[in-house]
Amino acid sequence: MANQYLTMKELKEALPEIPENSLKRYLQEHAEYINFKKEHNRYKIQASEIEKLKLIRKLYSDGLKKEEVTTKLEEAGFPVTITVEDEEESSSTSLMNVNHELTDMKKLVSFLVQQNEQSRLQQNKIREQNKQLIYEVQELKQTIDDLRMAHEQGNEQESEKVTSLYEKLMATQKSVEEVASAMEAEKSKSIWQKLFGK
């Protein structure tokens, strides 16, 4: 019974709850998961696929879309097959199992995704390091500018101190000169007084 092929009429009798149009649509939309042959526009479905068709019907009844049903069939581990034309008999078709190739492809895609993620993380790390370096350079530049400004202000302050000291020195000198002049005048006056008795 497992290797027996049913006509669409026989399949319809085995699955009376599924309309014929729906059965044909399932065969077309999920051909990679259903073992069948198409001869002169007539479907011949392997009897072992009845349970699978019931499952597909249930998934659609649950409100799933085509892509979601396909995902569920894949997750259930059903083998993927490709229907190819037989070169010797154009009216018959043979099934070729591509599960192994599909598994290899999934591994390759998974590896590429992982490599891409590692590359993205590495780029993010480099980008963050660059940001940190730029920040540190800016901080260093600011420090240099602050030091330069402090030095310039220090020079100005030193200059102001020198000017202030110079002004004090000049004022002191003037005071000394005034005192000396006054003393000289007093001394001269004293001499004149001695000379002239005044």
Side-chain angles (χ1 to χ4, degrees), residues 149-185:
M149 191 175 294
H151 181 68
E152 288 171 359
Q153 287 175 350
N155 285 346
E156 286 175 8
Q157 288 172 353
E158 289 297 322
S159 178
E160 286 173 4
K161 283 180 185 177
V162 170
T163 303
S164 177
L165 286 171
Y166 179 76
E167 287 173 352
K168 285 179 182 178
L169 181 62
M170 293 307 292
T172 303
Q173 183 181 346
K174 187 176 179 183
S175 296
V176 168
E177 286 175 354
E178 287 174 354
V179 168
S181 182
M183 286 177 65
E184 191 65 35

Side-chain angles (χ1 to χ4, degrees), residues 9 46 64 92 127 135 142 147 168-169 182 194:
K9 184 180 177 182
Q46 201 168 56
L64 274 65
S92 65
R127 195 176 293 117
Y135 175 76
Q142 185 62 47
L147 286 171
K168 285 179 182 178
L169 181 62
K194 286 179 182 178

